[in-house]
Amino acid sequence: MSTKHLVYALSLSLGAVSTQLAHAQAKPEVLVKQRQAVMTLQGKYFGPLGGMAQGRVPFNVQTVQRNAGFLDNLTRMSWDGFDASTRGVKSRALPGVFDDSAKFKQYASRLENEAAKLVTVSKSGDESAIKAQIGAVGKVCGGCHDDFREKQ
Amino acid sequence: MSTKHLVYALSLSLGAVSTQLAHAQAKPEVLVKQRQAVMTLQGKYFGPLGGMAQGRVPFNVQTVQRNAGFLDNLTRMSWDGFDASTRGVKSRALPGVFDDSAKFKQYASRLENEAAKLVTVSKSGDESAIKAQIGAVGKVCGGCHDDFREKQ
């Protein structure tokens, strides 16, 4: 099988992908699934750092550096998933995401900045500066969840 | 509220996270959800590149560079989710993932290498080299899916 055919077969085997390629914009349900995937992974990689900042998990600078790099990438992946077309799709996103998008985008921008700063600070190895910056990231996450996510 | 309290509240609000912090190892269901989240995002960011390699999507080097960076990170996120504890959890992973883990790990390692190479090649801006490398990434994805993922 040629590389071209292999890539084509692979594209067909990825449901979300064939949707994305067939239309200019992915279906709303796909966008919600993708943005929720980002949140799942942000939870995976922020969780242990939150634990370190609280002293419940032993501090490990290598883990912080690796997770900070992942979080820096993840924070740039989710925003296009909050497209207005997803308003009617079941999720915990409150209507404010679409009605007050300027405020939502402010959180998005703050999170990208704080996550990028965590990458920089983590390289310093300075435990207390790192823990403070983990707190700064967590504060943006928590603030946005308070304002824009349905309580469970 | 202090930063420490904010971070704690945030950790509690993330289901997967409190599980991860309470135990040395996340629950099997959480691990499967996390590795599936990675696959969802790999589909999101590989899809348009596969389309470019096939000539179905206009070639855009900025998109390739951005997506290659995301894919490079994503390829390093999923493997710990294929823990032996997840064998009984419903998913499309075939038993071979656990029974022939040497072969599965070989695919994992090849994918990491090809994705990292795509980052490098994408910076060159050489369209035909980039398309060939997209094909190389797709070939590993497709090979692993053929061997280790249940057909739909």
PDB file of all heavy atoms in Angstrom, chain A residues 3 7-8 11 13 17 20-21 34 43-45 47 54 56 70 73 77 80 135, chain B residues 3 8 11 17 20-21 34 43-45 47 54 56-57 70 73 77 80 135 149:
ATOM      1  N   THR A   3       2.106   5.168   0.567  1.00  0.00           N
ATOM      2  CA  THR A   3       1.947   6.062   1.715  1.00  0.00           C
ATOM      3  C   THR A   3       0.664   6.873   1.586  1.00  0.00           C
ATOM      4  O   THR A   3      -0.080   7.049   2.529  1.00  0.00           O
ATOM      5  CB  THR A   3       3.156   7.008   1.787  1.00  0.00           C
ATOM      6  OG1 THR A   3       4.309   6.252   2.048  1.00  0.00           O
ATOM      7  CG2 THR A   3       2.971   8.026   2.909  1.00  0.00           C
ATOM      8  N   VAL A   7      -2.284   6.920   4.339  1.00  0.00           N
ATOM      9  CA  VAL A   7      -2.755   8.122   5.017  1.00  0.00           C
ATOM     10  C   VAL A   7      -4.261   8.278   4.806  1.00  0.00           C
ATOM     11  O   VAL A   7      -4.995   8.621   5.713  1.00  0.00           O
ATOM     12  CB  VAL A   7      -1.997   9.374   4.509  1.00  0.00           C
ATOM     13  CG1 VAL A   7      -2.631  10.648   5.063  1.00  0.00           C
ATOM     14  CG2 VAL A   7      -0.533   9.309   4.925  1.00  0.00           C
ATOM     15  N   TYR A   8      -4.707   7.944   3.592  1.00  0.00           N
ATOM     16  CA  TYR A   8      -6.140   8.064   3.313  1.00  0.00           C
ATOM     17  C   TYR A   8      -6.932   7.090   4.182  1.00  0.00           C
ATOM     18  O   TYR A   8      -7.922   7.446   4.817  1.00  0.00           O
ATOM     19  CB  TYR A   8      -6.412   7.801   1.833  1.00  0.00           C
ATOM     20  CG  TYR A   8      -7.852   7.992   1.463  1.00  0.00           C
ATOM     21  CD1 TYR A   8      -8.443   9.252   1.525  1.00  0.00           C
ATOM     22  CD2 TYR A   8      -8.638   6.917   1.076  1.00  0.00           C
ATOM     23  CE1 TYR A   8      -9.773   9.432   1.204  1.00  0.00           C
ATOM     24  CE2 TYR A   8      -9.972   7.089   0.745  1.00  0.00           C
ATOM     25  CZ  TYR A   8     -10.533   8.352   0.815  1.00  0.00           C
ATOM     26  OH  TYR A   8     -11.855   8.523   0.503  1.00  0.00           O
ATOM     27  N   SER A  11      -7.119   8.338   7.664  1.00  0.00           N
ATOM     28  CA  SER A  11      -8.063   9.439   7.824  1.00  0.00           C
ATOM     29  C   SER A  11      -9.482   8.901   7.940  1.00  0.00           C
ATOM     30  O   SER A  11     -10.256   9.338   8.791  1.00  0.00           O
ATOM     31  CB  SER A  11      -7.982  10.398   6.636  1.00  0.00           C
ATOM     32  OG  SER A  11      -6.737  11.032   6.622  1.00  0.00           O
ATOM     33  N   SER A  13     -10.332   6.108   9.089  1.00  0.00           N
ATOM     34  CA  SER A  13     -10.501   5.364  10.338  1.00  0.00           C
ATOM     35  C   SER A  13     -10.655   6.295  11.537  1.00  0.00           C
ATOM     36  O   SER A  13     -10.989   5.869  12.619  1.00  0.00           O
ATOM     37  CB  SER A  13      -9.325   4.411  10.562  1.00  0.00           C
ATOM     38  OG  SER A  13      -8.221   5.122  11.085  1.00  0.00           O
ATOM     39  N   VAL A  17     -11.799  13.074  12.161  1.00  0.00           N
ATOM     40  CA  VAL A  17     -10.960  13.634  11.120  1.00  0.00           C
ATOM     41  C   VAL A  17     -11.700  13.738   9.804  1.00  0.00           C
ATOM     42  O   VAL A  17     -11.680  14.771   9.142  1.00  0.00           O
ATOM     43  CB  VAL A  17      -9.713  12.756  10.935  1.00  0.00           C
ATOM     44  CG1 VAL A  17      -8.941  13.215   9.722  1.00  0.00           C
ATOM     45  CG2 VAL A  17      -8.868  12.845  12.189  1.00  0.00           C
ATOM     46  N   GLN A  20     -13.826  16.605   9.846  1.00  0.00           N
ATOM     47  CA  GLN A  20     -13.099  17.872   9.742  1.00  0.00           C
ATOM     48  C   GLN A  20     -12.664  18.160   8.319  1.00  0.00           C
ATOM     49  O   GLN A  20     -12.621  19.306   7.902  1.00  0.00           O
ATOM     50  CB  GLN A  20     -11.847  17.826  10.616  1.00  0.00           C
ATOM     51  CG  GLN A  20     -12.122  18.140  12.047  1.00  0.00           C
ATOM     52  CD  GLN A  20     -10.836  18.306  12.789  1.00  0.00           C
ATOM     53  OE1 GLN A  20      -9.963  17.445  12.697  1.00  0.00           O
ATOM     54  NE2 GLN A  20     -10.683  19.383  13.523  1.00  0.00           N
ATOM     55  N   LEU A  21     -12.311  17.095   7.607  1.00  0.00           N
ATOM     56  CA  LEU A  21     -11.801  17.319   6.266  1.00  0.00           C
ATOM     57  C   LEU A  21     -12.929  17.566   5.277  1.00  0.00           C
ATOM     58  O   LEU A  21     -12.752  18.275   4.301  1.00  0.00           O
ATOM     59  CB  LEU A  21     -10.956  16.124   5.829  1.00  0.00           C
ATOM     60  CG  LEU A  21      -9.694  15.919   6.649  1.00  0.00           C
ATOM     61  CD1 LEU A  21      -8.968  14.668   6.198  1.00  0.00           C
ATOM     62  CD2 LEU A  21      -8.764  17.123   6.542  1.00  0.00           C
ATOM     63  N   GLN A  34     -13.721  17.248  21.560  1.00  0.00           N
ATOM     64  CA  GLN A  34     -12.306  17.648  21.509  1.00  0.00           C
ATOM     65  C   GLN A  34     -11.946  18.585  22.657  1.00  0.00           C
ATOM     66  O   GLN A  34     -10.892  18.443  23.280  1.00  0.00           O
ATOM     67  CB  GLN A  34     -12.010  18.313  20.166  1.00  0.00           C
ATOM     68  CG  GLN A  34     -12.038  17.336  18.996  1.00  0.00           C
ATOM     69  CD  GLN A  34     -11.989  18.014  17.647  1.00  0.00           C
ATOM     70  OE1 GLN A  34     -12.318  19.201  17.515  1.00  0.00           O
ATOM     71  NE2 GLN A  34     -11.608  17.278  16.616  1.00  0.00           N
ATOM     72  N   GLY A  43      -6.532  18.170  33.491  1.00  0.00           N
ATOM     73  CA  GLY A  43      -6.716  17.603  34.834  1.00  0.00           C
ATOM     74  C   GLY A  43      -5.615  16.611  35.163  1.00  0.00           C
ATOM     75  O   GLY A  43      -5.034  16.633  36.251  1.00  0.00           O
ATOM     76  N   LYS A  44      -5.284  15.759  34.183  1.00  0.00           N
ATOM     77  CA  LYS A  44      -4.238  14.751  34.401  1.00  0.00           C
ATOM     78  C   LYS A  44      -2.903  15.402  34.752  1.00  0.00           C
ATOM     79  O   LYS A  44      -2.204  14.937  35.650  1.00  0.00           O
ATOM     80  CB  LYS A  44      -4.094  13.889  33.134  1.00  0.00           C
ATOM     81  CG  LYS A  44      -2.951  12.878  33.204  1.00  0.00           C
ATOM     82  CD  LYS A  44      -2.882  11.985  31.955  1.00  0.00           C
ATOM     83  CE  LYS A  44      -1.708  11.017  32.039  1.00  0.00           C
ATOM     84  NZ  LYS A  44      -1.601  10.113  30.877  1.00  0.00           N
ATOM     85  N   TYR A  45      -2.547  16.444  34.021  1.00  0.00           N
ATOM     86  CA  TYR A  45      -1.203  17.007  34.211  1.00  0.00           C
ATOM     87  C   TYR A  45      -1.143  18.151  35.218  1.00  0.00           C
ATOM     88  O   TYR A  45      -0.071  18.443  35.755  1.00  0.00           O
ATOM     89  CB  TYR A  45      -0.603  17.407  32.851  1.00  0.00           C
ATOM     90  CG  TYR A  45      -0.328  16.164  32.030  1.00  0.00           C
ATOM     91  CD1 TYR A  45      -1.118  15.824  30.928  1.00  0.00           C
ATOM     92  CD2 TYR A  45       0.670  15.277  32.422  1.00  0.00           C
ATOM     93  CE1 TYR A  45      -0.898  14.647  30.225  1.00  0.00           C
ATOM     94  CE2 TYR A  45       0.894  14.103  31.728  1.00  0.00           C
ATOM     95  CZ  TYR A  45       0.108  13.790  30.630  1.00  0.00           C
ATOM     96  OH  TYR A  45       0.325  12.617  29.955  1.00  0.00           O
ATOM     97  N   GLY A  47      -3.187  18.077  38.001  1.00  0.00           N
ATOM     98  CA  GLY A  47      -3.485  17.451  39.290  1.00  0.00           C
ATOM     99  C   GLY A  47      -2.280  17.271  40.208  1.00  0.00           C
ATOM    100  O   GLY A  47      -2.260  17.799  41.328  1.00  0.00           O
ATOM    101  N   GLN A  54       0.257  22.157  47.316  1.00  0.00           N
ATOM    102  CA  GLN A  54      -0.383  22.024  48.638  1.00  0.00           C
ATOM    103  C   GLN A  54       0.451  21.204  49.615  1.00  0.00           C
ATOM    104  O   GLN A  54       0.047  21.043  50.763  1.00  0.00           O
ATOM    105  CB  GLN A  54      -1.721  21.300  48.500  1.00  0.00           C
ATOM    106  CG  GLN A  54      -2.764  21.973  47.664  1.00  0.00           C
ATOM    107  CD  GLN A  54      -3.829  20.977  47.237  1.00  0.00           C
ATOM    108  OE1 GLN A  54      -4.272  20.151  48.016  1.00  0.00           O
ATOM    109  NE2 GLN A  54      -4.206  21.039  45.983  1.00  0.00           N
ATOM    110  N   ARG A  56       0.770  17.982  49.427  1.00  0.00           N
ATOM    111  CA  ARG A  56       0.180  16.644  49.569  1.00  0.00           C
ATOM    112  C   ARG A  56       0.890  15.615  48.698  1.00  0.00           C
ATOM    113  O   ARG A  56       0.699  14.415  48.843  1.00  0.00           O
ATOM    114  CB  ARG A  56      -1.316  16.672  49.202  1.00  0.00           C
ATOM    115  CG  ARG A  56      -2.159  17.476  50.179  1.00  0.00           C
ATOM    116  CD  ARG A  56      -3.646  17.268  49.907  1.00  0.00           C
ATOM    117  NE  ARG A  56      -4.047  17.779  48.613  1.00  0.00           N
ATOM    118  CZ  ARG A  56      -4.592  17.050  47.648  1.00  0.00           C
ATOM    119  NH1 ARG A  56      -4.775  15.763  47.816  1.00  0.00           N
ATOM    120  NH2 ARG A  56      -4.943  17.593  46.507  1.00  0.00           N
ATOM    121  N   PHE A  70       3.507  20.101  28.805  1.00  0.00           N
ATOM    122  CA  PHE A  70       2.240  19.556  28.290  1.00  0.00           C
ATOM    123  C   PHE A  70       1.118  20.591  28.477  1.00  0.00           C
ATOM    124  O   PHE A  70       0.321  20.826  27.565  1.00  0.00           O
ATOM    125  CB  PHE A  70       1.872  18.260  29.015  1.00  0.00           C
ATOM    126  CG  PHE A  70       2.722  17.071  28.624  1.00  0.00           C
ATOM    127  CD1 PHE A  70       2.798  15.950  29.437  1.00  0.00           C
ATOM    128  CD2 PHE A  70       3.428  17.044  27.420  1.00  0.00           C
ATOM    129  CE1 PHE A  70       3.557  14.832  29.080  1.00  0.00           C
ATOM    130  CE2 PHE A  70       4.190  15.937  27.046  1.00  0.00           C
ATOM    131  CZ  PHE A  70       4.255  14.827  27.886  1.00  0.00           C
ATOM    132  N   ASN A  73       1.085  23.413  26.027  1.00  0.00           N
ATOM    133  CA  ASN A  73       0.496  23.020  24.739  1.00  0.00           C
ATOM    134  C   ASN A  73      -1.016  22.865  24.844  1.00  0.00           C
ATOM    135  O   ASN A  73      -1.756  23.352  23.991  1.00  0.00           O
ATOM    136  CB  ASN A  73       1.129  21.710  24.249  1.00  0.00           C
ATOM    137  CG  ASN A  73       2.444  21.953  23.534  1.00  0.00           C
ATOM    138  OD1 ASN A  73       2.461  22.161  22.331  1.00  0.00           O
ATOM    139  ND2 ASN A  73       3.542  21.983  24.275  1.00  0.00           N
ATOM    140  N   MET A  77      -4.967  24.429  22.920  1.00  0.00           N
ATOM    141  CA  MET A  77      -5.736  23.503  22.071  1.00  0.00           C
ATOM    142  C   MET A  77      -7.253  23.615  22.174  1.00  0.00           C
ATOM    143  O   MET A  77      -7.958  23.137  21.304  1.00  0.00           O
ATOM    144  CB  MET A  77      -5.368  22.054  22.426  1.00  0.00           C
ATOM    145  CG  MET A  77      -3.990  21.615  21.994  1.00  0.00           C
ATOM    146  SD  MET A  77      -3.783  19.850  22.352  1.00  0.00           S
ATOM    147  CE  MET A  77      -1.991  19.723  22.343  1.00  0.00           C
ATOM    148  N   ASP A  80     -10.849  26.882  20.228  1.00  0.00           N
ATOM    149  CA  ASP A  80     -11.688  26.797  19.015  1.00  0.00           C
ATOM    150  C   ASP A  80     -12.837  25.814  19.189  1.00  0.00           C
ATOM    151  O   ASP A  80     -13.786  25.810  18.395  1.00  0.00           O
ATOM    152  CB  ASP A  80     -10.842  26.474  17.768  1.00  0.00           C
ATOM    153  CG  ASP A  80     -10.074  25.164  17.895  1.00  0.00           C
ATOM    154  OD1 ASP A  80     -10.094  24.556  18.987  1.00  0.00           O
ATOM    155  OD2 ASP A  80      -9.453  24.744  16.914  1.00  0.00           O
ATOM    156  N   GLY A 135       0.143  27.875  41.716  1.00  0.00           N
ATOM    157  CA  GLY A 135      -1.032  28.530  42.292  1.00  0.00           C
ATOM    158  C   GLY A 135      -1.656  29.533  41.338  1.00  0.00           C
ATOM    159  O   GLY A 135      -2.880  29.638  41.233  1.00  0.00           O
TER     160      GLY A 135
ATOM    161  N   THR B   3      -4.223  31.262  47.906  1.00  0.00           N
ATOM    162  CA  THR B   3      -3.864  30.478  46.719  1.00  0.00           C
ATOM    163  C   THR B   3      -3.915  28.986  47.035  1.00  0.00           C
ATOM    164  O   THR B   3      -4.411  28.173  46.266  1.00  0.00           O
ATOM    165  CB  THR B   3      -2.445  30.867  46.259  1.00  0.00           C
ATOM    166  OG1 THR B   3      -2.482  32.225  45.848  1.00  0.00           O
ATOM    167  CG2 THR B   3      -2.001  30.001  45.096  1.00  0.00           C
ATOM    168  N   TYR B   8      -6.537  23.844  46.206  1.00  0.00           N
ATOM    169  CA  TYR B   8      -7.182  22.674  46.796  1.00  0.00           C
ATOM    170  C   TYR B   8      -8.603  22.514  46.248  1.00  0.00           C
ATOM    171  O   TYR B   8      -9.012  21.429  45.825  1.00  0.00           O
ATOM    172  CB  TYR B   8      -7.213  22.801  48.322  1.00  0.00           C
ATOM    173  CG  TYR B   8      -7.784  21.582  48.992  1.00  0.00           C
ATOM    174  CD1 TYR B   8      -7.127  20.352  48.907  1.00  0.00           C
ATOM    175  CD2 TYR B   8      -8.991  21.645  49.682  1.00  0.00           C
ATOM    176  CE1 TYR B   8      -7.654  19.225  49.501  1.00  0.00           C
ATOM    177  CE2 TYR B   8      -9.513  20.523  50.286  1.00  0.00           C
ATOM    178  CZ  TYR B   8      -8.852  19.311  50.202  1.00  0.00           C
ATOM    179  OH  TYR B   8      -9.379  18.198  50.798  1.00  0.00           O
ATOM    180  N   SER B  11      -8.523  21.250  42.777  1.00  0.00           N
ATOM    181  CA  SER B  11      -8.211  19.824  42.696  1.00  0.00           C
ATOM    182  C   SER B  11      -9.465  18.998  42.978  1.00  0.00           C
ATOM    183  O   SER B  11      -9.743  18.013  42.296  1.00  0.00           O
ATOM    184  CB  SER B  11      -7.131  19.450  43.710  1.00  0.00           C
ATOM    185  OG  SER B  11      -5.920  20.075  43.359  1.00  0.00           O
ATOM    186  N   VAL B  17      -8.501  14.148  38.878  1.00  0.00           N
ATOM    187  CA  VAL B  17      -7.347  14.594  39.643  1.00  0.00           C
ATOM    188  C   VAL B  17      -7.394  14.097  41.075  1.00  0.00           C
ATOM    189  O   VAL B  17      -6.414  13.575  41.597  1.00  0.00           O
ATOM    190  CB  VAL B  17      -7.284  16.130  39.635  1.00  0.00           C
ATOM    191  CG1 VAL B  17      -6.202  16.607  40.580  1.00  0.00           C
ATOM    192  CG2 VAL B  17      -7.039  16.611  38.225  1.00  0.00           C
ATOM    193  N   GLN B  20      -6.341  10.717  41.180  1.00  0.00           N
ATOM    194  CA  GLN B  20      -4.902  10.524  40.988  1.00  0.00           C
ATOM    195  C   GLN B  20      -4.109  10.857  42.239  1.00  0.00           C
ATOM    196  O   GLN B  20      -3.086  10.258  42.508  1.00  0.00           O
ATOM    197  CB  GLN B  20      -4.407  11.438  39.868  1.00  0.00           C
ATOM    198  CG  GLN B  20      -4.623  10.847  38.497  1.00  0.00           C
ATOM    199  CD  GLN B  20      -3.942  11.698  37.458  1.00  0.00           C
ATOM    200  OE1 GLN B  20      -4.133  12.909  37.450  1.00  0.00           O
ATOM    201  NE2 GLN B  20      -3.163  11.084  36.602  1.00  0.00           N
ATOM    202  N   LEU B  21      -4.584  11.873  42.957  1.00  0.00           N
ATOM    203  CA  LEU B  21      -3.824  12.297  44.125  1.00  0.00           C
ATOM    204  C   LEU B  21      -4.059  11.373  45.304  1.00  0.00           C
ATOM    205  O   LEU B  21      -3.197  11.211  46.156  1.00  0.00           O
ATOM    206  CB  LEU B  21      -4.181  13.739  44.492  1.00  0.00           C
ATOM    207  CG  LEU B  21      -3.811  14.763  43.431  1.00  0.00           C
ATOM    208  CD1 LEU B  21      -4.309  16.139  43.830  1.00  0.00           C
ATOM    209  CD2 LEU B  21      -2.307  14.793  43.219  1.00  0.00           C
ATOM    210  N   GLN B  34      -8.406   9.073  29.780  1.00  0.00           N
ATOM    211  CA  GLN B  34      -7.280   9.962  29.467  1.00  0.00           C
ATOM    212  C   GLN B  34      -6.579   9.556  28.165  1.00  0.00           C
ATOM    213  O   GLN B  34      -6.242  10.401  27.344  1.00  0.00           O
ATOM    214  CB  GLN B  34      -6.275   9.961  30.633  1.00  0.00           C
ATOM    215  CG  GLN B  34      -6.808  10.658  31.875  1.00  0.00           C
ATOM    216  CD  GLN B  34      -5.938  10.445  33.090  1.00  0.00           C
ATOM    217  OE1 GLN B  34      -5.160   9.483  33.173  1.00  0.00           O
ATOM    218  NE2 GLN B  34      -6.062  11.320  34.073  1.00  0.00           N
ATOM    219  N   GLY B  43      -6.305  12.860  16.521  1.00  0.00           N
ATOM    220  CA  GLY B  43      -7.156  12.909  15.334  1.00  0.00           C
ATOM    221  C   GLY B  43      -7.405  14.341  14.886  1.00  0.00           C
ATOM    222  O   GLY B  43      -7.322  14.655  13.690  1.00  0.00           O
ATOM    223  N   LYS B  44      -7.668  15.215  15.865  1.00  0.00           N
ATOM    224  CA  LYS B  44      -7.923  16.624  15.536  1.00  0.00           C
ATOM    225  C   LYS B  44      -6.737  17.253  14.817  1.00  0.00           C
ATOM    226  O   LYS B  44      -6.910  17.980  13.843  1.00  0.00           O
ATOM    227  CB  LYS B  44      -8.236  17.413  16.816  1.00  0.00           C
ATOM    228  CG  LYS B  44      -8.413  18.914  16.607  1.00  0.00           C
ATOM    229  CD  LYS B  44      -8.776  19.654  17.901  1.00  0.00           C
ATOM    230  CE  LYS B  44      -8.914  21.151  17.655  1.00  0.00           C
ATOM    231  NZ  LYS B  44      -9.276  21.912  18.868  1.00  0.00           N
ATOM    232  N   TYR B  45      -5.534  16.993  15.302  1.00  0.00           N
ATOM    233  CA  TYR B  45      -4.367  17.691  14.757  1.00  0.00           C
ATOM    234  C   TYR B  45      -3.659  16.939  13.638  1.00  0.00           C
ATOM    235  O   TYR B  45      -2.934  17.549  12.847  1.00  0.00           O
ATOM    236  CB  TYR B  45      -3.401  18.080  15.894  1.00  0.00           C
ATOM    237  CG  TYR B  45      -4.045  19.131  16.760  1.00  0.00           C
ATOM    238  CD1 TYR B  45      -4.507  18.843  18.047  1.00  0.00           C
ATOM    239  CD2 TYR B  45      -4.267  20.412  16.255  1.00  0.00           C
ATOM    240  CE1 TYR B  45      -5.159  19.805  18.806  1.00  0.00           C
ATOM    241  CE2 TYR B  45      -4.919  21.382  17.006  1.00  0.00           C
ATOM    242  CZ  TYR B  45      -5.350  21.069  18.277  1.00  0.00           C
ATOM    243  OH  TYR B  45      -6.010  22.022  19.011  1.00  0.00           O
ATOM    244  N   GLY B  47      -5.513  15.052  11.417  1.00  0.00           N
ATOM    245  CA  GLY B  47      -6.471  15.039  10.308  1.00  0.00           C
ATOM    246  C   GLY B  47      -6.141  16.003   9.175  1.00  0.00           C
ATOM    247  O   GLY B  47      -5.986  15.579   8.022  1.00  0.00           O
ATOM    248  N   GLN B  54      -2.435  14.263   1.161  1.00  0.00           N
ATOM    249  CA  GLN B  54      -3.203  13.679   0.049  1.00  0.00           C
ATOM    250  C   GLN B  54      -3.598  14.712  -0.989  1.00  0.00           C
ATOM    251  O   GLN B  54      -4.220  14.359  -1.993  1.00  0.00           O
ATOM    252  CB  GLN B  54      -4.509  13.076   0.579  1.00  0.00           C
ATOM    253  CG  GLN B  54      -4.365  11.930   1.539  1.00  0.00           C
ATOM    254  CD  GLN B  54      -5.652  11.740   2.330  1.00  0.00           C
ATOM    255  OE1 GLN B  54      -6.740  11.848   1.813  1.00  0.00           O
ATOM    256  NE2 GLN B  54      -5.507  11.488   3.613  1.00  0.00           N
ATOM    257  N   ARG B  56      -5.927  16.918  -0.507  1.00  0.00           N
ATOM    258  CA  ARG B  56      -7.348  17.245  -0.356  1.00  0.00           C
ATOM    259  C   ARG B  56      -7.558  18.533   0.430  1.00  0.00           C
ATOM    260  O   ARG B  56      -8.656  19.081   0.481  1.00  0.00           O
ATOM    261  CB  ARG B  56      -8.099  16.093   0.331  1.00  0.00           C
ATOM    262  CG  ARG B  56      -8.189  14.828  -0.515  1.00  0.00           C
ATOM    263  CD  ARG B  56      -9.130  13.806   0.113  1.00  0.00           C
ATOM    264  NE  ARG B  56      -8.660  13.342   1.408  1.00  0.00           N
ATOM    265  CZ  ARG B  56      -9.337  13.464   2.539  1.00  0.00           C
ATOM    266  NH1 ARG B  56     -10.514  14.047   2.551  1.00  0.00           N
ATOM    267  NH2 ARG B  56      -8.834  13.003   3.672  1.00  0.00           N
ATOM    268  N   VAL B  57      -6.515  18.966   1.143  1.00  0.00           N
ATOM    269  CA  VAL B  57      -6.565  20.184   1.960  1.00  0.00           C
ATOM    270  C   VAL B  57      -5.387  21.052   1.504  1.00  0.00           C
ATOM    271  O   VAL B  57      -4.288  20.521   1.319  1.00  0.00           O
ATOM    272  CB  VAL B  57      -6.422  19.828   3.464  1.00  0.00           C
ATOM    273  CG1 VAL B  57      -6.261  21.062   4.326  1.00  0.00           C
ATOM    274  CG2 VAL B  57      -7.602  18.981   3.928  1.00  0.00           C
ATOM    275  N   PHE B  70       1.963  20.200  18.558  1.00  0.00           N
ATOM    276  CA  PHE B  70       0.942  19.571  19.410  1.00  0.00           C
ATOM    277  C   PHE B  70       1.071  18.046  19.361  1.00  0.00           C
ATOM    278  O   PHE B  70       1.018  17.373  20.398  1.00  0.00           O
ATOM    279  CB  PHE B  70      -0.463  19.987  18.940  1.00  0.00           C
ATOM    280  CG  PHE B  70      -0.836  21.413  19.272  1.00  0.00           C
ATOM    281  CD1 PHE B  70      -1.869  22.050  18.582  1.00  0.00           C
ATOM    282  CD2 PHE B  70      -0.193  22.123  20.276  1.00  0.00           C
ATOM    283  CE1 PHE B  70      -2.237  23.360  18.875  1.00  0.00           C
ATOM    284  CE2 PHE B  70      -0.548  23.446  20.581  1.00  0.00           C
ATOM    285  CZ  PHE B  70      -1.574  24.058  19.883  1.00  0.00           C
ATOM    286  N   ASN B  73       3.864  16.622  21.415  1.00  0.00           N
ATOM    287  CA  ASN B  73       3.499  16.539  22.839  1.00  0.00           C
ATOM    288  C   ASN B  73       2.502  15.416  23.102  1.00  0.00           C
ATOM    289  O   ASN B  73       2.650  14.637  24.043  1.00  0.00           O
ATOM    290  CB  ASN B  73       2.931  17.879  23.319  1.00  0.00           C
ATOM    291  CG  ASN B  73       4.026  18.859  23.691  1.00  0.00           C
ATOM    292  OD1 ASN B  73       4.467  18.897  24.829  1.00  0.00           O
ATOM    293  ND2 ASN B  73       4.503  19.631  22.726  1.00  0.00           N
ATOM    294  N   MET B  77       1.937  11.552  25.693  1.00  0.00           N
ATOM    295  CA  MET B  77       0.957  11.600  26.786  1.00  0.00           C
ATOM    296  C   MET B  77       0.164  10.316  27.023  1.00  0.00           C
ATOM    297  O   MET B  77      -0.418  10.147  28.078  1.00  0.00           O
ATOM    298  CB  MET B  77      -0.065  12.721  26.525  1.00  0.00           C
ATOM    299  CG  MET B  77       0.475  14.120  26.664  1.00  0.00           C
ATOM    300  SD  MET B  77      -0.895  15.313  26.499  1.00  0.00           S
ATOM    301  CE  MET B  77       0.027  16.820  26.124  1.00  0.00           C
ATOM    302  N   ASP B  80       1.152   5.742  29.339  1.00  0.00           N
ATOM    303  CA  ASP B  80       0.895   5.271  30.707  1.00  0.00           C
ATOM    304  C   ASP B  80      -0.579   4.921  30.908  1.00  0.00           C
ATOM    305  O   ASP B  80      -0.933   4.273  31.900  1.00  0.00           O
ATOM    306  CB  ASP B  80       1.401   6.268  31.763  1.00  0.00           C
ATOM    307  CG  ASP B  80       0.774   7.645  31.619  1.00  0.00           C
ATOM    308  OD1 ASP B  80       0.026   7.878  30.640  1.00  0.00           O
ATOM    309  OD2 ASP B  80       1.014   8.507  32.486  1.00  0.00           O
ATOM    310  N   GLY B 135       3.303  11.412   5.943  1.00  0.00           N
ATOM    311  CA  GLY B 135       3.021  10.017   5.579  1.00  0.00           C
ATOM    312  C   GLY B 135       3.688   9.027   6.522  1.00  0.00           C
ATOM    313  O   GLY B 135       3.094   8.014   6.891  1.00  0.00           O
ATOM    314  N   ARG B 149      -5.964  -2.338  17.459  1.00  0.00           N
ATOM    315  CA  ARG B 149      -7.265  -1.706  17.703  1.00  0.00           C
ATOM    316  C   ARG B 149      -8.381  -2.489  17.021  1.00  0.00           C
ATOM    317  O   ARG B 149      -8.253  -2.854  15.861  1.00  0.00           O
ATOM    318  CB  ARG B 149      -7.261  -0.255  17.190  1.00  0.00           C
ATOM    319  CG  ARG B 149      -8.510   0.511  17.624  1.00  0.00           C
ATOM    320  CD  ARG B 149      -8.389   1.980  17.273  1.00  0.00           C
ATOM    321  NE  ARG B 149      -8.492   2.191  15.845  1.00  0.00           N
ATOM    322  CZ  ARG B 149      -8.766   3.383  15.291  1.00  0.00           C
ATOM    323  NH1 ARG B 149      -8.945   4.448  16.060  1.00  0.00           N
ATOM    324  NH2 ARG B 149      -8.841   3.517  13.993  1.00  0.00           N
TER     325      ARG B 149
END
